[in-house]
Amino acid sequence: MAVGVAAADEGRASAWWERLQGERLQIHGFASLTAVKTSANRFFGDSPDLSWNFIEVALNASYQLNARVLFAGQVLARRAGDMYDGTPALDYGLADVTLDETPTRRLGVRLGRLKNPLGLYNETRDVPFTRPSIFLPQVIYFDKVRNMVLSTDGVMVYGETSTGYGDLSFTLGGGQPVVDENLEWAFLGDDLPGKFIPRGVAWAGSLWYSAFQERLRLGLSGFTSVLGYRPGVGLDLGAGETAINYLILSAQYNTEHWTLTSEYSRLPLEWQDYGVDFPYRKTSGEGYYLQGAYRVRPGLELMLRYEEGFTDRKDRDGTRSSALLGGAVPPGDYFSKIWSLGVRWDLNPHVMLRAQYERHQGTYTIAARENDPATLVEDWDLFALQLAVRF
């Protein structure tokens, strides 16, 4: 009798769990493994000898508490050469509350660790299936400072409305950026005995227009933050600060077989109070790309992209920036010009294979944490293969 009652209870619990997961709770995950080979320079590991050090494993979940409140989060373990060691971390974790909703508009607020609404791909850059290629255009979506631009701990207001001329949406949020050692390598050139700490509120926002059932999308997005540096003992460097202002203009056009995409970014940086021996004071970085994707048939897609990026838009060949360090860093480290060709093959809805070839001139997109800038080769090639699965 007790066994029968227990079995009945177990059956009811199982049915309840299945019903709960189908109606309110969604659990998904993905994993990817990528092999990277370069003709020179390290990219996500020891790529001149073939690197297998680009691995992503994630589990995400969402729970719809009621019609107005949604909880969502994702834990990601990411191994990317010397920049990320695979330690599981919270990618995002938030509560989404709808404040007002009608058939033509919606207004809400999100709290927690939030994805920054930057460009077309930042909010979905974690998932291999939602990227347009194995590697995003690095002149805009920098992997070497990924955590800072990916998410912010804070609050964000969002809204959207439908009109007879298309759909408009906006986001505006503030909080604290996610800071790690990669920022020291990117903004100070080394892992120095000290650390960056956020100063004040970092702001992120976006404005989007879409028309013709999202066939056309136009967007403006941005991020601004100030990072204070707390130097370690014995370091001949002042307690300075680095101001970051990041702006992206985005455009995308979709047809049944084609997707044409272009984005342009400006990245003004300003260094203050690091001392007279620190070489940099102010730069205005720039990047853009043109990208076309062609769907040959369902499950098979080709991609072609050209991108350019510059540490300083007024020093496009890098000679002036190189001279600040007495030529210790070659001019090619301050710009990148990249051609990319890729193919995507979806074996089924859960398994994807990708291949990508890139021809590089310059090393602006390469992480100093993985390379000695003085030994970088200006002209180099990259080839990558990726296997990704999801559930």
Side-chain angles (χ1 to χ4, degrees):
M1 180 69 174
V3 174
V5 171
D9 289 343
E10 183 178 348
R12 284 193 294 270
S14 177
W16 171 83
W17 171 254
E18 292 177 359
R19 184 169 62 253
L20 176 65
Q21 184 170 356
E23 295 177 357
R24 295 187 178 183
L25 179 64
Q26 297 288 326
I27 299 176
H28 300 284
F30 63 85
S32 70
L33 174 63
T34 305
V36 183
K37 179 74 172 72
T38 57
S39 61
N41 308 323
R42 288 168 54 92
F43 191 87
F44 286 11
D46 192 14
S47 52
D49 289 333
L50 183 62
S51 170
W52 294 90
N53 285 336
F54 184 28
I55 302 169
E56 301 165 298
V57 180
L59 184 67
N60 57 70
S62 64
Y63 179 69
Q64 190 76 51
L65 180 64
N66 54 46
R68 291 184 175 272
V69 180
L70 172 73
F71 297 99
Q74 176 171 285
V75 174
L76 173 70
R78 189 173 193 265
R79 177 68 182 270
D82 297 335
M83 294 180 290
Y84 306 97
D85 62 6
T87 301
L90 182 67
D91 238 9
Y92 65 90
L94 59 92
D96 186 326
V97 181
T98 300
L99 302 177
D100 180 61
E101 186 172 24
T102 72
T104 59
R105 71 173 187 271
R106 184 183 180 193
L107 180 67
V109 61
R110 300 185 182 111
L111 304 94
R113 175 159 291 183
L114 312 172
K115 289 289 189 71
N116 290 323
L118 294 174
L120 287 159
Y121 300 117
N122 193 63
E123 291 175 286
T124 59
R125 68 187 294 169
D126 299 319
V127 185
F129 291 83
T130 61
R131 295 195 290 257
S133 50
I134 296 176
F135 306 111
L136 288 173
Q138 290 295 293
V139 299
I140 291 181
Y141 299 96
F142 306 99
D143 272 306
K144 55 187 179 182
V145 292
R146 170 188 174 276
N147 285 351
M148 181 190 70
V149 298
L150 177 70
S151 54
T152 298
D153 296 332
V155 59
M156 182 175 294
V157 177
Y158 67 90
E160 54 192 41
T161 183
S162 297
T163 71
Y165 302 98
D167 299 330
L168 291 171
S169 63
F170 80 91
T171 57
L172 179 61
Q176 296 293 297
V178 178
V179 175
D180 61 21
E181 293 178 354
N182 288 314
L183 298 182
E184 296 173 41
W185 287 95
F187 297 139
L188 301 181
D190 204 342
D191 181 18
L192 301 173
K195 64 179 181 178
F196 274 120
I197 55 174
R199 287 188 177 172
V201 176
W203 295 94
S206 66
L207 180 64
W208 285 93
Y209 167 78
S210 63
F212 315 113
Q213 297 179 333
E214 293 202 348
R215 177 165 289 192
L216 173 67
R217 298 186 67 199
L218 303 173
L220 170 66
S221 54
F223 172 82
T224 181
S225 178
V226 175
L227 300 175
Y229 188 70
R230 184 179 296 165
V233 177
L235 183 65
D236 189 21
L237 195 67
E241 65 179 30
T242 302
I244 303 155
N245 296 289
Y246 189 25
L247 181 70
I248 303 176
L249 296 172
S250 308
Q252 187 174 76
Y253 184 74
N254 293 286
T255 70
E256 180 182 357
H257 295 290
W258 286 93
T259 296
L260 303 176
T261 307
S262 182
E263 294 189 284
Y264 171 84
S265 73
R266 289 284 296 274
L267 181 58
L269 296 173
E270 186 172 355
W271 295 265
Q272 295 181 350
D273 302 325
Y274 283 103
V276 295
D277 294 328
F278 189 76
Y280 302 114
R281 295 295 178 266
K282 184 183 295 186
T283 64
S284 183
E286 183 179 61
Y288 72 88
Y289 71 89
L290 303 171
Q291 175 182 281
Y294 177 66
R295 288 168 284 280
V296 180
R297 58 177 175 80
L300 183 62
E301 181 178 276
L302 302 177
M303 183 277 300
L304 178 65
R305 181 171 66 228
Y306 179 71
E307 59 189 288
E308 290 188 354
F310 309 92
T311 300
D312 191 336
R313 61 191 297 267
K314 297 180 180 179
D315 181 32
R316 291 176 177 264
D317 62 2
T319 54
R320 189 170 60 188
S321 299
S322 177
L324 287 174
L325 295 176
V329 177
D333 195 43
Y334 297 96
F335 69 87
S336 280
K337 300 177 181 181
I338 309 168
W339 282 99
S340 299
L341 178 65
V343 58
R344 169 178 175 164
W345 180 25
D346 293 322
L347 281 70
N348 57 53
H350 305 287
V351 181
M352 177 187 71
L353 289 174
R354 262 194 166 129
Q356 185 168 335
Y357 167 75
E358 297 181 355
R359 174 59 179 168
H360 289 249
Q361 180 187 1
T363 55
Y364 169 57
T365 60
I366 283 184
R369 189 169 189 174
E370 293 195 300
N371 294 271
D372 177 359
T375 63
L376 289 171
V377 176
E378 183 173 313
D379 295 299
W380 56 289
D381 301 283
L382 179 150
F383 184 74
L385 288 172
Q386 182 179 76
L387 170 65
V389 297
R390 63 181 173 183
F391 66 88

